[in-house]
Amino acid sequence: MNNLTYRACKKLAERDNMTETQKNELLSSMDLFVLTKRITQDEYKELCTIMDEQKTQA
């Protein structure tokens, strides 16, 4: 669960100043990463949760 792709995505997902376009691009990248098994389903769900939390805090 500590692979480089996951950590990079997590760092981006935790940013609170992302535009909607940047969020959509990150989600698209995460979709590809999970499909190519660069991140796990659980990591994907966690990243989506982080992004949702950032959205509600804004």
Side-chain angles (χ1 to χ4, degrees):
M1 191 165 160
N2 269 334
N3 69 55
L4 182 61
T5 303
Y6 167 76
R7 289 190 312 230
C9 287
K10 184 174 181 183
K11 191 170 191 167
L12 289 171
E14 290 173 337
R15 290 178 52 197
D16 58 355
N17 60 345
M18 287 179 67
T19 65
E20 250 344 272
T21 301
Q22 290 171 324
K23 289 176 188 176
N24 289 335
E25 289 174 354
L26 180 55
L27 281 170
S28 294
S29 295
M30 288 169 26
D31 290 343
L32 290 174
F33 294 150
V34 79
L35 286 172
T36 58
K37 300 185 186 316
R38 291 186 68 182
I39 62 174
T40 66
Q41 287 281 345
D42 289 336
E43 290 170 334
Y44 179 84
K45 289 176 190 173
E46 182 181 341
L47 292 168
C48 288
T49 301
I50 291 169
M51 291 181 73
D52 286 343
E53 289 171 357
Q54 291 296 336
K55 194 180 293 185
T56 58
Q57 289 177 2

